[in-house]
């Protein structure tokens, strides 16, 4: 059996190695257009910033090491220019010599990945306008910084690559601005949770131009102007276009394969395309979202590697199935860690799900053990069924651990209530006896049983302030004095039972504290005395972060730039 693989990075390299482990006799040929195979896309920004010093560390394997271990014929700088399903051949061009030839296959695996999205804008192709996708792209940016010592950079796009590159350029001392058409960074997060990412990048001196559309680029004064719709241009010494990626599927389209969202390759659970004996994996394929069941294109390394393994299994006569993607991800943003899995609340509602969420602010480990830091968790679930739909976390230590537990819970089909039953490891340096994941389950259970009712950030502006309800802040007077929501009166929770006469009976009571815990206790006290009480999800800390972020974005929209 002869297997030809187009693309030698995540999915293609994984498939090649798996094929050899399953079939010692198979002939495996990999064609990779770039000069590198099995390289770490996710590490590229950290090489530019100097965190990764050795460029060889970016490549997990070389063609020589791959052949030595797996006897796979890895041919770099070879571009597949056409697929001929009827003849079961591919046309190939050697980019070093210009030689063109046809290669026969019994099975063909497409792993072309994705390419940086480049809309047709004036100025594309300027010398100081870069993209970051391959090792070669990385070296070009690194060499430009080393040779020209730029002092400023504009990054068009605030996703994974844009945000990681922004951090690394800032650490090199550049003035950095991120331009993003949505009014938030990192679209996997809901806007309220993205507020914590915005705060962190602002704290490190990065300027944000959110809700701004890039309309083109122009050379000026030795640098580049980034032309914006309805705003003054941004000038920088270098610009990186990082507005996203697009499936690289021109070959598949020309060969007549069925295409789906964003021009991605349609595959079944076995990673088979619409053409016999042709498989496809990675960033170029359309998959099912594990939570919503809807078609999706999810460009992440983990799914690409699993798909490569599944395709190899099936090429060798097995019957492996890809169950769908959850989009689990984590990112370092200076000192902050932000992670997500499943769907956020906004996308759940767009998918037609009746979604709700709880927000909590637990410590990373036991409060009495030194060094604990607060994290903010948002857990999204379906009303009525309490099916766990997704989660987002922003914090410091322990964020990655909790998001992985929640990702596993979603995959296992647990409800949000069942999170309370998980038996998770505890020691004071690592967690609390009531782990944050358990706490989320307790909160959802309280909602399900009617033990507590809640209100959310978006509800605060519509609370009755004409005397139709009681608005109550149960923090200490000192906390209240440092900031509170207009219209709320202050009665500390520990004084509440003795001051109930100050709360007019027969009216709903909306209760807030710093994190949501004391206000929950206050709600139970009030319920025990016949009041209808609502607890604010997330607490004043969460409310203040979200509203401050919204004010900064609104001010930036009015004046042209976020400071």
């Amino acid at each position: 059996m002869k297997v030809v693989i187009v693309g030698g990075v995540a999915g293609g390299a994984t498939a090649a190695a798996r094929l050899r482990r399953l079939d010692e006799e198979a002939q495996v040929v990999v064609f990779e257009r770039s000069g590198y195979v099995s390289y770490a896309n996710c590490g590229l920004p950290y090489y530019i910033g100097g965190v990764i010093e050795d460029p060889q560390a970016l490549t997990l394997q070389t063609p020589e090491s791959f052949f030595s271990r797996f006897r796979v014929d890895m041919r770099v700088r070879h571009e597949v220019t056409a697929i001929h399903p009827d003849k079961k051949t591919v046309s190939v061009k050697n980019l070093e010599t210009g030689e063109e030839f046809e290669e026969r296959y019994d099975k063909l695996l497409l792993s072309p990945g994705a390419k940086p999205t480049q809309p047709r804008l004036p100025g594309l192709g300027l010398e100081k306008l870069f993209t970051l996708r391959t090792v070669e792209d990385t070296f070009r940016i690194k060499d430009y910084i080393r040779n020209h010592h730029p002092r400023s950079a504009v990054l068009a796009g605030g996703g994974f690559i844009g945000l990681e590159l922004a951090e690394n350029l800032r650490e090199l001392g550049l003035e950095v601005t991120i331009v993003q058409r949505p009014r938030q960074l990192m679209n996997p997060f809901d806007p309220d949770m993205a507020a914590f990412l915005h705060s962190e990048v602002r704290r490190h001196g990065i300027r944000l131009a959110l809700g701004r559309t890039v309309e083109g680029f122009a050379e000026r004064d030795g640098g580049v102007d980034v032309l914006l719709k309805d705003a003054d241009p941004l000038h920088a010494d270098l610009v990186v276009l990082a507005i996203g990626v697009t499936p690289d599927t021109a070959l598949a389209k020309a060969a007549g394969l069925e295409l789906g969202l964003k021009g991605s390759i349609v595959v079944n659970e076995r990673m088979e395309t619409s053409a016999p004996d042709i498989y496809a994996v990675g960033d170029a394929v359309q998959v099912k979202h594990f939570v919503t069941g809807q078609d999706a294109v999810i460009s992440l390394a983990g799914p690409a590697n699993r798909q490569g393994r599944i395709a190899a299994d099936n090429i060798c006569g097995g019957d492996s199935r890809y169950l769908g993607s959850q989009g689990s991800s984590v990112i370092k943003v200076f000192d902050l860690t932000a992670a997500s899995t499943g769907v956020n609340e906004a996308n759940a509602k767009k998918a037609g799900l009746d979604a709700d969420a709880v927000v909590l602010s637990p410590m990373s480990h036991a409060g009495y053990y030194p060094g604990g830091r607060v994290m903010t968790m948002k857990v999204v679930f379906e009303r009525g069924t309490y099916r766990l739909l997704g989660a987002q976390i922003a914090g410091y230590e322990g964020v990655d651990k909790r998001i992985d537990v929640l990702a596993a819970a979603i995959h296992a089909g647990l409800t949000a209530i069942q999170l309370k039953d998980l038996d998770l490891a505890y020691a004071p340096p690592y967690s609390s006896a009531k782990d944050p994941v358990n706490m989320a389950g307790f909160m959802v259970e309280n909602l399900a049983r009617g033990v507590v009712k809640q209100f959310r950030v978006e509800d605060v502006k519509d609370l009755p302030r004409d005397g139709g309800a009681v608005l109550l802040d149960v923090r200490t007077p000192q906390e209240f004095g440092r900031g509170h929501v207009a219209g709320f009166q202050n009665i500390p929770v520990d004084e509440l039972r003795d001051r109930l006469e100050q709360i007019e009976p027969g009216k709903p009571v909306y209760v807030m504290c710093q994190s949501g815990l004391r206000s929950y206790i206050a709600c139970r006290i009030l319920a025990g005395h016949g009041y209808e009480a609502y607890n604010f999800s997330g607490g004043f800390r969460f409310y203040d972060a979200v509203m401050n972020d919204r004010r900064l974005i609104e001010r930036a929209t009015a004046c042209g730039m976020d400071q």
Side-chain angles (χ1 to χ4, degrees), residues 179-464:
V179 184
Q180 172 89 327
R181 182 164 57 185
R183 291 167 64 92
Q184 68 169 86
L185 302 175
M186 294 296 293
N187 288 332
F189 291 82
D190 283 311
D192 52 8
M193 292 297 292
F196 294 92
L197 283 74
H198 301 166
S199 176
E200 185 70 6
V201 298
R202 292 184 185 116
R203 189 170 69 86
H204 285 83
I206 291 177
R207 303 168 73 193
L208 298 179
L210 303 176
R212 298 294 186 188
T213 300
V214 175
E215 293 194 321
F217 309 92
E219 289 185 303
R220 182 175 67 85
D221 297 338
V224 179
D225 273 350
V226 179
L227 309 178
L228 304 179
K229 182 178 181 180
D230 301 325
D232 294 335
L234 297 172
H235 187 75
D237 296 329
L238 70 90
V239 176
V240 180
L241 196 59
I243 60 176
V245 293
T246 302
D248 191 356
T249 55
L251 279 175
K253 181 178 181 180
L257 302 186
E258 183 183 354
L259 303 182
L261 293 175
K262 301 180 182 179
S264 59
I265 303 170
V266 173
V267 293
N268 61 17
E269 292 178 331
R270 291 169 46 85
M271 310 312 298
E272 296 169 323
T273 71
S274 59
D277 297 318
I278 300 180
Y279 297 74
V281 300
D283 295 354
V285 306
Q286 175 179 290
V287 298
K288 294 292 183 185
H289 196 287
F290 186 82
V291 175
T292 67
Q294 295 180 342
D295 293 332
V297 177
I298 297 177
S299 300
L300 292 169
N305 279 278
R306 291 194 297 277
Q307 292 161 13
R309 178 185 175 92
I310 288 168
D313 286 351
N314 293 325
I315 287 171
C316 292
D319 188 23
S320 293
R321 307 278 171 152
Y322 187 67
L323 301 180
S325 294
Q326 283 179 218
S328 301
S329 63
V330 63
I331 185 171
K332 173 185 176 295
V333 185
F334 293 100
D335 300 324
L336 189 79
T337 299
S340 68
T341 187
V343 288
N344 62 30
E345 187 177 11
N347 287 335
K349 290 178 178 177
K350 287 179 183 177
L353 297 169
D354 187 10
D356 198 357
V358 292
V359 178
L360 59 157
S361 301
M363 294 287 286
S364 57
H365 60 243
Y368 59 84
Y369 188 88
R373 303 285 297 274
V374 173
M375 68 176 71
T376 303
M377 296 177 58
K378 181 175 184 178
V379 176
V380 183
F381 59 91
E382 186 177 38
R383 285 190 179 95
T385 67
Y386 297 95
R387 179 166 70 106
L388 188 57
L389 302 177
Q392 302 150 62
I393 312 177
Y396 302 92
E397 296 177 0
V399 168
D400 54 340
K401 168 184 173 179
R402 273 65 186 218
I403 207 67
D404 282 343
V405 171
L406 289 160
I410 291 172
H411 188 83
L414 300 187
T415 67
I417 296 172
Q418 288 175 304
L419 296 175
K420 69 184 178 62
D421 299 320
L422 294 177
D423 194 347
L424 303 174
Y426 159 64
Y430 302 106
S431 185
S432 300
K434 296 177 181 177
D435 188 87
V437 174
N438 295 137
M439 291 299 299
F442 296 148
M443 292 172 66
V444 178
E445 182 187 42
N446 284 338
L447 291 174
R449 292 186 175 182
V451 173
V452 70
K453 300 175 183 178
Q454 69 174 12
F455 65 111
R456 307 274 303 280
V457 167
E458 57 271 21
D459 301 320
V460 172
K461 66 180 185 303
D462 297 322
L463 293 178

Side-chain angles (χ1 to χ4, degrees), residues 116-129:
T117 302
Q118 295 195 27
R120 295 178 181 177
L121 297 174
L124 287 180
L126 294 177
E127 180 185 358
K128 297 173 184 177
L129 178 62

Side-chain angles (χ1 to χ4, degrees), residues 65-79:
S65 68
F66 221 100
F67 182 80
S68 176
R69 177 161 296 179
F70 297 111
R71 291 300 188 268
V72 167
D73 185 4
M74 283 271 191
R75 304 188 201 177
V76 297
R77 302 289 294 157
H78 279 69
E79 181 177 12

